[in-house]
Amino acid sequence: LTVCAACGMVQKPADAEFLSEADEIYRSYQMYHQAGGHEQKIFTAAGPRPRSDVLLDRLLAAHVFPKNCRMLDVGCGAGTLLKAAAKRLPDWQLFGSDISDHEREKILAIEGVKGFFAGDISTIHETFDVICLSHVLEHIPYPQAFLRQLTARLSPGGVLVVLVPHWPDNAFDLLVADHRAHFTVPHLTR
């Protein structure tokens, strides 16, 4: 682990060893493997709820979206957030993006999903009203450049949603091999 002398952010160096280990992890990555394929729960006043439902609740409470909203889920994995959005927002046009295309058919089979992008986000040339990064940014070797690329894909007035682990509340995050950046609210805001 390294700590930036200028801002205090905790990171793992994006050196060849880290990049090679992360690549090896992602080649065989199974989303929610340890939970039998079930999404993590967030404990709310109403009791435990799937993380995607809580994210959508907060998003819809914070912003008014057009009826035909276009949403891109970056790092969509097996489509957990897309499935939740499809149930709650049937008028939205949904898109998924992931580093790999091994879940492509599963994503495209979700009702409301209009497209899927695999590989580098620089290949995405469409614009979106909402771009979601749910537990993705901590994996990215160069998060600022990544966010710049994504904000260029936002429609005027579009919203970028970023959900990351907050390592001071859960120091275990520092041990997760493929988490490069360990954010706090000030670091994420910066």
Side-chain angles (χ1 to χ4, degrees), residues 12 31 63 122 162:
K12 293 179 184 88
M31 192 92 162
H63 197 77
S122 65
V162 178

Side-chain angles (χ1 to χ4, degrees), residues 78-108:
T80 307
L81 178 59
L82 293 169
K83 289 174 192 171
K87 286 180 187 173
R88 293 180 58 179
L89 307 161
D91 295 332
W92 283 28
Q93 297 175 45
L94 306 172
F95 298 81
S97 169
D98 207 88
I99 194 167
S100 164
D101 70 349
H102 74 273
E103 299 283 4
R104 176 185 297 274
E105 297 308 315
K106 190 182 289 186
I107 298 302
L108 291 172

Side-chain angles (χ1 to χ4, degrees), residues 3-150:
V3 179
C4 176
C7 72
M9 184 160 164
V10 178
Q11 301 176 44
K12 293 179 184 88
D15 58 17
E17 181 180 4
F18 171 82
L19 295 172
S20 174
E21 288 176 2
D23 185 52
E24 185 177 330
I25 289 167
Y26 299 145
R27 267 184 275 156
S28 61
Y29 189 70
Q30 294 280 324
M31 192 92 162
Y32 308 125
H33 171 73
Q34 292 175 322
H38 299 285
E39 180 178 26
Q40 288 100 338
K41 304 279 191 207
I42 302 286
F43 292 92
T44 69
R49 300 189 51 234
R51 181 166 67 190
S52 292
D53 288 336
V54 174
L55 185 151
L56 289 172
D57 287 347
R58 292 180 182 175
L59 177 64
L60 296 171
H63 197 77
V64 176
F65 295 97
K67 182 178 180 179
N68 232 8
C69 187
R70 292 170 50 88
M71 182 182 98
L72 174 65
D73 181 14
V74 176
C76 66
T80 307
L81 178 59
L82 293 169
K83 289 174 192 171
K87 286 180 187 173
R88 293 180 58 179
L89 307 161
D91 295 332
W92 283 28
Q93 297 175 45
L94 306 172
F95 298 81
S97 169
D98 207 88
I99 194 167
S100 164
D101 70 349
H102 74 273
E103 299 283 4
R104 176 185 297 274
E105 297 308 315
K106 190 182 289 186
I107 298 302
L108 291 172
I110 299 169
E111 187 152 347
V113 171
K114 304 297 182 195
F116 177 81
F117 307 96
D120 194 287
I121 60 167
S122 65
T123 63
I124 301 172
H125 301 292
E126 299 183 38
T127 58
F128 304 92
D129 303 300
V130 178
I131 298 177
C132 291
L133 296 155
S134 180
H135 287 260
V136 171
L137 196 61
E138 65 272 17
H139 298 267
I140 304 301
Y142 303 100
Q144 286 180 328
F146 189 77
L147 290 173
R148 279 189 208 101
Q149 286 182 303
L150 287 176

Side-chain angles (χ1 to χ4, degrees), residues 147-171:
L147 290 173
R148 279 189 208 101
Q149 286 182 303
L150 287 176
T151 55
R153 305 282 30 107
L154 282 173
S155 301
V159 176
L160 179 66
V161 178
V162 178
L163 180 65
V164 294
H166 184 245
W167 75 265
D169 289 342
N170 182 2

